[in-house]
Amino acid sequence: MGDDGRFDTIRGMAELLDLEELDRDLYRGRNVASDPPRVTLFGGQVAAQALRAAAATVPGDRFPHSLHGYFLRPGRPEHPVILRVSRDRDGRSFSARHVAAIQDGEVIFSMLASFHVDEEGGELAAPMPTEVPPPEGIVGLDFDGITEIRPVGLDEPDGVPCRLWVRIVTPFTDDRIVQACALAYLSDIGSGFGRITRDDLPRGGPSIDHTVWFHRPVRADRWLLLDLFPVKAFGGRGVYRGTIYDRDGELAAELAQESLLRTGPTTPRRPWNPSPERP
């Protein structure tokens, strides 16, 4: 517990993903320290810790290939996150897990994750966007102290990044599982609606649900290009998709997120608030 009563003692990705095992399939995670303190937990943190808890229960030769999560309640920085894992299935090459992230007796995040044994097969990938400047020389944004963000083409001070270079600040373990969990953390940064300049649509909103497909191993402590674009806004909700490439142009992961976009004809554009959880 911090001096201000908040359970936010973590200042590095390695510590964030070093969960305490309380019992079989039951874990506890600590929260990222932020300055100034966040009102709610960053959704990417909860998703990353949930994936780490799930991975701790599968055979060592299986790696995450997808996660599907729902943000049900806002996370509170003054409480630790309890992660309860259900072992849905272990097949010959796939394992499925269901994780409930709990605070104060209530589920704040529910996630399904699937793990797969490496197999040989043909390969096809969409090419990396062209004419993207390298991260060196781009002015960074403040975020959480453990992540570097270099937005590409963000000209407005209150804009929301939709194409950005990201990485974990401090290099950490080579462990493929832990690196995948860190990638899940990074996947919740920014918004595809940052490309929108209409006054009747906000450029971001609270996360409702989030999906990541992991295509190939990649290090989250090296520069990755996160490219986000809007797909549809309707009924107070909006969906955007995204791709994550490494510096060599290899497609590492894809994502999709649905956000709450409650608007009216006179709703002003909102400044960027890094992916708060669902209210």
Side-chain angles (χ1 to χ4, degrees), residues 32-60:
V32 175
S34 58
D35 187 19
R38 292 180 60 94
V39 177
T40 62
L41 292 180
F42 172 50
Q45 174 199 310
V46 185
Q49 290 179 326
L51 185 62
R52 184 70 187 98
T57 71
V58 303

Side-chain angles (χ1 to χ4, degrees), residues 15-65:
E15 293 83 2
L16 180 74
L17 297 174
D18 184 17
L19 305 180
E20 178 186 0
E21 185 175 5
L22 302 176
D23 205 336
R24 185 180 189 269
D25 300 341
L26 191 66
Y27 303 86
R28 176 165 56 194
R30 292 180 289 171
N31 302 328
V32 175
S34 58
D35 187 19
R38 292 180 60 94
V39 177
T40 62
L41 292 180
F42 172 50
Q45 174 199 310
V46 185
Q49 290 179 326
L51 185 62
R52 184 70 187 98
T57 71
V58 303
D61 63 345
R62 303 182 182 204
F63 303 96
H65 72 87

Side-chain angles (χ1 to χ4, degrees), residues 75-153:
R76 299 167 60 186
E78 65 269 22
H79 289 286
V81 179
I82 303 300
L83 302 145
R84 185 181 64 217
V85 183
S86 297
R87 306 188 186 211
D88 289 353
R89 182 177 185 270
D90 285 310
R92 288 181 296 179
S93 58
F94 286 89
S95 291
R97 296 292 185 266
H98 178 202
V99 184
I102 302 167
Q103 284 188 326
D104 199 23
E106 295 184 319
V107 177
I108 64 171
F109 179 70
S110 177
M111 185 188 76
L112 293 175
S114 184
F115 299 77
H116 183 216
V117 175
D118 287 339
E119 297 185 24
E120 295 293 331
E123 186 171 344
L124 175 69
M128 181 177 176
T130 59
E131 300 181 356
V132 177
E136 294 81 9
I138 299 177
V139 177
L141 293 177
D142 292 333
F143 187 63
D144 58 5
I146 65 175
T147 308
E148 285 190 86
I149 300 176
R150 306 284 177 87
V152 178

Side-chain angles (χ1 to χ4, degrees), residues 169-182:
V169 174
T170 304
F172 58 106
T173 177
D174 293 332
D175 187 290
R176 179 171 162 185
I177 291 285
V178 177
Q179 290 285 345
C181 295

